[in-house]
Amino acid sequence: ARDLGMGYERFRKVFRAATGVAPDAYRIRRRIDRARRLLVGSDATLADIATELGYPNPFAFSAQFKRHVGESPEAYRKRH
C-alpha cells in the first residue's frame, strides 16, 4: 500500500476487487500452496518448512495448515 501511495483500507478494497479475496486471505492461501509443494516435493522437516514460510513455530504452521486444508501437514505428506 505504501509503495502504491495509498492507505491500507484503499489498498485492501482495490486488491479484493482485483483478486476476489482480501490481502490476508491471499497471503495465507499462497503460504499454504507453497507448504503443500514443500511437503510433497522435499523431505524438509515441518520445523524447516514453518521457518521457511515465516511461521513463528511448527505448531502455528500445523494449526493453520489443518484449518485450511482439513488435515495435518503430516497426514497430507503421507497421502501424497
Side-chain angles (χ1 to χ4, degrees):
R2 191 175 313 131
D3 290 347
L4 297 173
M6 62 177 77
Y8 180 72
E9 286 304 312
R10 176 74 179 137
F11 171 77
R12 189 177 62 76
K13 288 178 184 177
V14 170
F15 188 94
R16 186 177 190 106
T19 64
V21 296
D24 267 0
Y26 180 83
R27 183 181 54 84
I28 291 168
R29 185 170 63 193
R30 296 286 302 194
R31 285 170 103 184
I32 296 299
D33 288 346
R34 179 102 195 276
R36 287 177 171 162
R37 288 192 303 275
L38 289 169
L39 287 165
V40 173
S42 78
D43 58 354
T45 66
L46 292 184
D48 289 342
I49 292 172
T51 299
E52 183 170 335
L53 297 176
Y55 288 92
N57 58 59
F59 305 108
F61 163 62
S62 292
Q64 189 170 72
F65 189 93
K66 187 170 185 175
R67 197 167 40 251
H68 288 274
V69 177
E71 63 184 336
S72 71
E74 298 92 344
Y76 185 87
R77 179 177 262 172
K78 286 179 185 174
R79 201 167 53 80
H80 291 87

